[in-house]
Amino acid sequence: MINDRGIIKYQGFFMPEHTKMLKDLDNDYHKVPRPQLDEGQIEDMEQLISESLVTQTILEIITWKNGFFSSRIGFVKRIDPISKKVFIIDEFGTLISIDFFNITNVSPK
């Protein structure tokens, strides 16, 4: 029986630049385009955010940035109309700043 290193012997053929390029290609493949929101959806999100500011209801806010979605759960602490940011307190008590243009969906939790 031949005693060789198996798959390990082929790892020497990949240069660090090649592995970085392959990772970047895989990362680009999984990116999704920014969803287009209509006026009704934006108004609904603004209403839920405003209600959460007054009643301290917990919301799930989904944001889109650089092709990927992320979700935050918390209640709205402050709305800054000048910088167009929403400040929420998450479940760990951390104050998080979210740019309003990155918000794609808001739903009560």
Side-chain angles (χ1 to χ4, degrees):
M1 175 164 196
I2 298 174
N3 191 6
D4 64 354
R5 296 176 291 158
I7 192 81
I8 296 172
K9 64 184 172 187
Y10 295 108
Q11 289 180 351
F13 293 126
F14 290 111
M15 296 179 71
E17 297 85 15
H18 294 149
T19 55
K20 182 185 179 314
M21 183 180 67
L22 288 173
K23 287 179 184 178
D24 290 343
L25 283 172
D26 186 50
N27 194 19
D28 289 342
Y29 178 76
H30 292 291
K31 286 185 178 182
V32 293
R34 182 169 176 38
Q36 297 297 321
L37 302 174
D38 61 4
E39 287 295 320
Q41 291 172 323
I42 293 172
E43 288 176 8
D44 292 342
M45 291 189 307
E46 288 175 348
Q47 183 179 3
L48 282 171
I49 290 171
S50 297
E51 287 175 5
S52 176
L53 179 64
V54 174
T55 62
Q56 300 296 308
T57 57
I58 296 176
L59 298 176
E60 179 181 16
I61 300 175
I62 298 174
T63 59
W64 180 91
K65 188 172 183 182
N66 296 329
F68 297 100
F69 291 104
S70 64
S71 174
R72 295 288 189 173
I73 296 175
F75 62 90
V76 177
K77 181 70 174 173
R78 185 169 63 111
I79 299 171
D80 188 2
I82 295 171
S83 64
K84 295 184 176 43
K85 293 190 182 274
V86 177
F87 295 91
I88 66 168
I89 303 280
D90 68 355
E91 61 267 13
F92 303 113
T94 307
L95 183 67
I96 299 170
S97 169
I98 299 174
D99 189 13
F100 189 76
F101 294 115
N102 292 336
I103 297 174
T104 60
N105 193 12
V106 177
S107 60
K109 194 66 179 167

